Structure formats: C-alpha cells, structure tokens
Amino acid sequence: MSKKIKPQWQKLINDEQVKPYFVELNQKLSKQRANGDVIFPVQGEVFSAFCYHDIKNIKVVILGQDPYHGDKQAHGLAFSVQPGVKVPPSLVNIYKELVNEYSDFNKPDHGCLTPWAEQGVLLLNTVLTVKQAQAHSHAKLGWETFTDAVIEKIDHESNACVFLLWGAHAQKKGKNINTDKHLVLNGPHPSPLSAYRGFFGCQHFSKANEWLRSKDIPQINWHLPITP
C-alpha cells in the first residue's frame, strides 16, 4: 500500500490494536496465514480505506458486509476492485442504481471506486478480511468490535456525515449514531440476493447529496471515469 494511513485513523488503529480482542484477532489471522490459508485483502491493504481522508473530513460512510473473497478482488475499499478486475455483481447493481438516480451516469468498464474515497467517502465493511472463496469466514473474529469503534469515532468527531448502511450487518452499526447531526439511510445489500428487496430505487446517492447540500458541504460526484 503506497498511501499512508491518515493520522487520526492511525491513532485509532494503534489504540485498538493493543486491546485484548484485537490481539486475539491478529493471532487468529497469523495462525491462518501460517496454515496456508489465503486471506483477502493482502495484509498491506487491509486498512486502505483509512488512507484518503481523516475523520473530520469524511462526508459519507458506505458500509457493507465483508470483502470480496475472489482472487485479486478485494483491495481494502468496500465494493471496489482494482482496474482490470471484472466488476463484481454487487457493484454492477450499485451502478444500476446510480443509472436510476442519475440519467447521465455512464457505467464505467471497471470497478475502481478510489475517486469516491478521494472525495471523502469511507468505503468500509463491517469485517475487514475474509478467507479465499469463503464468504463471511471472518465474521465474529473481532473485526466487528473494531468497526464499531470506527463508526463511534466518526459519530462523535464529525459534525455532519451521511451513513449508508446496506444489509442487516451494516444496519446494526447505526443504532447508536446521533441522528440529530448525521443522516442515516438504511437499505438492503446490493448483492443479487437482496438488491430487488429495496436497494433498487432507494435513491441513497441523491439523498446523500441533497442532505450534504443542505449543510453547505460539497456534494459527492458519484460519476466515475469510464476507464480508470
């Protein structure tokens, strides 16, 4: 990972890493790697989401479930894949919803969402690692406690942020968010299994921008370059 973790995030990570739950989490991950298990994303990209903007500059949090579990897919940003990697089904559905909301949205031929991260969108999963070809394999390993701390930190230190919580796992994170100063939008996960249960038509992207505009915060340009 060439980009450095931002200072406020680095402090939070440092503070969490010495706690018993995180020590145990690291031990379990180390043991799995030593046993030959392939874990995604690669070790140097697990915290990539925290390399773009520090806590007070986060405008939108998009919260998913766990990383993609296919080879070369996950790179530390929820729902994103590196250029050259086939766009996964969940992201295909995200693009479909963007077309629904913005008639001039052109679906790119890639799945790289770093332009969103660069604008202050935290692309976060509730769980930050996964075994190859085993979805949800690192659920309840300890990551949920860490991402609780992330959400709590944004809730306390940001003056105004939009939380897009997709899927039941993500929505659990929203129970304690201060809705007097933040906007919380809940919806189904965009996976093919659940997108038709209300993700399509949720208008989360345009609603997020309308709210940011009402707070005099620069909106997110959801459009992506056609080629990376």
Side-chain angles (χ1 to χ4, degrees), residues 164-223:
L164 307 183
L165 309 182
W166 295 343
H169 293 271
Q171 289 168 24
K172 289 178 183 177
K173 301 283 191 184
K175 293 179 179 178
N176 297 318
I177 293 173
N178 182 353
T179 53
D180 289 333
K181 64 174 182 173
H182 304 302
L183 176 65
V184 177
L185 297 175
N186 294 304
H189 194 278
S191 75
L193 295 173
S194 55
Y196 286 94
R197 298 174 189 164
F199 178 78
F200 293 135
C202 68
Q203 299 185 322
H204 279 187
F205 300 100
S206 52
K207 287 177 180 178
N209 270 347
E210 288 170 11
W211 189 85
L212 291 173
R213 185 171 62 246
S214 75
K215 301 292 182 181
D216 293 322
I217 298 171
Q219 299 171 69
I220 303 299
N221 177 11
W222 298 111
H223 295 265

Side-chain angles (χ1 to χ4, degrees), residues 1-223:
M1 182 173 60
S2 58
K3 294 176 71 68
K4 290 183 66 174
I5 296 170
K6 295 298 181 182
Q8 287 179 299
W9 286 128
Q10 187 64 70
K11 183 180 184 307
L12 181 141
I13 292 168
N14 291 346
D15 290 346
E16 294 299 309
Q17 283 182 326
V18 299
K19 295 180 179 179
Y21 86 89
F22 208 113
V23 173
E24 184 178 352
L25 166 63
N26 270 333
Q27 289 171 344
K28 290 176 180 176
L29 293 175
S30 296
K31 184 177 181 180
Q32 289 181 12
R33 291 189 179 101
N35 288 339
D37 291 328
V38 177
I39 294 175
F40 297 130
V42 297
Q43 207 162 356
E45 293 182 339
V46 171
F47 296 114
S48 291
F50 305 103
C51 294
Y52 293 88
H53 283 277
D54 233 330
I55 296 169
K56 291 186 177 180
N57 294 322
I58 298 297
K59 300 176 189 176
V60 178
V61 176
I62 294 181
L63 191 60
Q65 191 160 319
D66 61 349
Y68 297 125
H69 53 81
D71 188 37
K72 298 180 180 178
Q73 289 184 309
H75 66 114
L77 302 181
F79 299 106
S80 179
V81 292
Q82 293 280 29
V85 178
K86 183 180 178 181
V87 179
S90 291
L91 186 51
V92 168
N93 287 337
I94 289 170
Y95 288 167
K96 286 180 181 178
E97 175 56 22
L98 281 162
V99 170
N100 290 338
E101 295 189 44
Y102 298 99
S103 59
D104 60 344
F105 181 84
N106 293 314
K107 285 187 283 187
D109 59 6
H110 63 89
C112 185
L113 303 181
T114 56
W116 293 358
E118 289 167 350
Q119 296 177 72
V121 179
L122 183 67
L123 296 162
L124 185 68
N125 283 307
T126 60
V127 173
L128 300 192
T129 58
V130 68
K131 282 186 185 180
Q132 184 178 31
Q134 297 184 43
H136 319 314
S137 50
H138 285 174
K140 299 181 180 178
L141 209 63
W143 281 122
E144 292 89 347
T145 303
F146 173 76
T147 49
D148 280 345
V150 170
I151 297 298
E152 182 180 0
K153 198 74 170 175
I154 298 171
D155 181 36
H156 288 169
E157 298 200 9
S158 170
N159 293 323
C161 185
V162 181
F163 292 85
L164 307 183
L165 309 182
W166 295 343
H169 293 271
Q171 289 168 24
K172 289 178 183 177
K173 301 283 191 184
K175 293 179 179 178
N176 297 318
I177 293 173
N178 182 353
T179 53
D180 289 333
K181 64 174 182 173
H182 304 302
L183 176 65
V184 177
L185 297 175
N186 294 304
H189 194 278
S191 75
L193 295 173
S194 55
Y196 286 94
R197 298 174 189 164
F199 178 78
F200 293 135
C202 68
Q203 299 185 322
H204 279 187
F205 300 100
S206 52
K207 287 177 180 178
N209 270 347
E210 288 170 11
W211 189 85
L212 291 173
R213 185 171 62 246
S214 75
K215 301 292 182 181
D216 293 322
I217 298 171
Q219 299 171 69
I220 303 299
N221 177 11
W222 298 111
H223 295 265

